[in-house]
Amino acid sequence: IFPLAPMLAARKTVQLLRHASTAGAAAWRLQSTSGPEMQLTVLSNGVRVASRETPGLWSTVGVFLNPNNCRPTLRPSVHFVERLAFRGSQLRSSDSIEKELEELGGAFGCTSQRDSLIFYGSVFRDRLPQAMQLMHEAVLQPLYTQEDVDMQRVFSRMDVEHVRRMPELYLPELLHSVAYSSECRSHIVDPEQLEAVTPATVRAASKEITAGRNLMVVGVGVEHELLCALAEDRFGSHVVAEGPLVEADRPKFQGGVTCYHTESSPTNNALRIPLSYVSLGFESCAWDSPDIYAVSVLQMLLGGGGSFSAGGPGKGMYARFYLNVLNCYHWMESAVATHHPRKHSGLFSLQCSSPPDNIGMATKILLAEVQNTERFVGDAELQRAKNQLKSSISMHLESRLTMFEDLGRQLLFSNRYLNERDFAENIDRVTAEDVSRVLRRIASGTAAVATYGDVSALDPSVFSGQN
C-alpha cells in the first residue's frame, strides 16, 4: 500500500551505541527501546554491514546500492545491471552459476526501485557462505556479453510494450516523468535509449554505482558476527571511494502535463467498457520528513481502488473514495490515492478512470472529495485509518523479505532504523489537524497531470496544472 522505509522521523526511541572496533572495523548497535535489536558494522573499507536476527531456518542476505549514483547517460544501462544479475561472472560461466543456484535451493534475484538497487538471496542458514560468494560475483565481478545484452534489449522492448498497454502500470510512470526532471530514473526505459546500451556502458554503470560508500550488505535471520565475517571475506578488499563517483541528482518537482493517446480507449474491465484515465500528482514530502506519518494516514483515509475486488469484500471499504465516490457513482471504474515518497521529495497522486464521456465529471468528483477531507476529518474515520496503517505495517513485516528490504532502505539513505513499534507510536500521534494541514500544503502547489486514452471531455482548466 505504501513504502515502509520512509517512516524515519522519530529519533528519541533509538539509541546509538558505539563500541570498541576490531580488525579495523568500526561497529555500532542501533537498539530500539521497543523492539528487537538491529546491529550495524562498518568495515575498514567503508562497506556497511547490517543485520536483524529472526527465528527460523532461513536467512535473507543481499547488497543494497543507489542506482542514481551514476551519470544520467548511463541510467538506461542500470536496467541491464538488474536484468543480467546472476547470469555469469568473471570467475565462472552462467551455466555454472545456474547449477549452483539450483543446488542451493533458495531464491535469488535483483530488483530495483527509483532509489535503490537490491541483490538478494534467501537460503538455509548453513548455506550462507555459498550465497555470499554468489552475491560477490553478481555485484563486483559480473560478466556482460554482447549476446546477453542483445537478448535483454529484446525483452526490454517487449516489457515496454506490455506496460504501455496497461494503464494502471503505465500512468504512474507518465506522472513521475512529467512531475520531475527528465533525468529522474524511471522503471521503464524508452526504446530509443535501449539502442545505446552496450556491454561497455553496462560495465561502466555497474562500476559507478558500486564505487561509492553507498554499498551495504544486509541480512535478516542471520547472526551478525557471521554476516560480518562473510562480508569481510567477500567485500572487505573492495576499494570504496570516499563518496560516489557521481552524486545522485536531487529530483526537483516541476509539474506539467503529459497525455498518452491511443487509437481506442482500453477495455480491460469485466464489462469491456472503454475507459479513460486521469492522474493528478502533487509534491508531498520526503521519507525522512516528520510529516510522512500524517501523509500516510491521509492516503489510508482516502484509500480507494477498483469497483471490482478479486480478493473478496472488506478491503478498505470504509475509505472515503469507496464510501463517497465509487459507491455513489456506478459508472466510475476506479478512484485511488497513492503516495510515492523518495529520498528528497515525494509525490502524492489521485487517479481515477471512467468511460470517456464521464472522465471530466469523475475528476471533479475526486477533487471535491479531497476538498471535503481538508475541511473535516472525523475522529472515528481517523482512528480507523491509523489502525489500518499500523495493521498493514505489522502484516507486511511478518515477511522476512519485506523486513530485509525495509532495513536496507532505511539505512541506505539515513543510517537510522525504526521498527514496527516505532512506526506505530508515531502514527498514534497524528491528529486530524495534522492531516488537514499536510493536505492543504500538498494541494497548494502546481500539479502534474497525466492522462491515458480519450480525455476530450476533460475540463481544459485541468491541463493548466494550477489549483
Side-chain angles (χ1 to χ4, degrees), residues 383-452:
Q383 189 59 50
R384 186 184 299 116
K386 293 198 288 187
N387 289 344
Q388 282 185 292
L389 187 59
K390 292 185 291 184
S391 175
S392 176
I393 292 174
S394 298
M395 181 186 69
H396 281 81
L397 286 180
E398 290 178 359
S399 165
R400 187 180 60 258
L401 281 172
T402 303
M403 185 183 294
F404 163 80
E405 180 183 349
D406 177 52
L407 170 60
R409 284 172 60 84
Q410 288 195 46
L411 293 175
L412 182 63
F413 298 114
S414 68
N415 204 31
R416 299 182 180 92
Y417 177 70
L418 300 180
N419 64 22
E420 53 272 24
R421 292 187 179 180
D422 300 323
F423 293 156
E425 291 175 2
N426 285 281
I427 291 169
D428 284 336
R429 297 190 185 101
V430 175
T431 64
E433 290 74 19
D434 293 331
V435 174
S436 298
R437 174 179 54 81
V438 296
L439 180 53
R440 281 194 299 270
R441 179 176 59 80
I442 288 172
S444 64
T446 301
V449 182
T451 68
Y452 189 104

Side-chain angles (χ1 to χ4, degrees), residues 19-41:
H19 58 78
S21 61
T22 59
W28 289 264
R29 282 186 177 182
L30 278 73
Q31 183 175 4
S32 171
T33 59
S34 59
E37 181 182 271
M38 188 280 298
Q39 293 178 270
L40 173 68
T41 296

Side-chain angles (χ1 to χ4, degrees), residues 280-431:
L280 308 175
F282 307 87
E283 186 174 22
S284 55
C285 62
W287 60 35
D288 61 349
S289 168
D291 287 336
I292 188 67
Y293 303 98
V295 176
S296 297
V297 172
L298 170 64
Q299 186 265 327
M300 294 297 290
L301 188 68
L302 295 175
S307 60
F308 173 77
S309 173
K315 301 189 298 299
M317 61 184 297
Y318 287 104
R320 285 198 170 209
F321 281 173
Y322 265 117
L323 283 176
N324 304 330
V325 178
L326 292 172
N327 286 353
C328 299
Y329 303 93
H330 67 89
W331 43 265
M332 286 196 71
E333 180 67 17
S334 67
V336 61
T338 55
H339 186 217
H340 309 272
R342 306 181 64 172
K343 184 178 181 180
H344 300 296
S345 180
L347 184 64
F348 192 88
S349 69
L350 309 170
Q351 182 174 315
C352 63
S353 64
S354 74
D357 293 342
N358 296 329
I359 193 62
M361 180 61 67
T363 306
K364 291 181 180 179
I365 292 171
L366 207 66
L367 292 176
E369 186 57 38
V370 172
Q371 289 179 328
N372 293 336
T373 304
E374 186 271 326
R375 296 189 186 103
F376 174 76
V377 176
D379 293 338
E381 62 177 345
L382 176 65
Q383 189 59 50
R384 186 184 299 116
K386 293 198 288 187
N387 289 344
Q388 282 185 292
L389 187 59
K390 292 185 291 184
S391 175
S392 176
I393 292 174
S394 298
M395 181 186 69
H396 281 81
L397 286 180
E398 290 178 359
S399 165
R400 187 180 60 258
L401 281 172
T402 303
M403 185 183 294
F404 163 80
E405 180 183 349
D406 177 52
L407 170 60
R409 284 172 60 84
Q410 288 195 46
L411 293 175
L412 182 63
F413 298 114
S414 68
N415 204 31
R416 299 182 180 92
Y417 177 70
L418 300 180
N419 64 22
E420 53 272 24
R421 292 187 179 180
D422 300 323
F423 293 156
E425 291 175 2
N426 285 281
I427 291 169
D428 284 336
R429 297 190 185 101
V430 175
T431 64

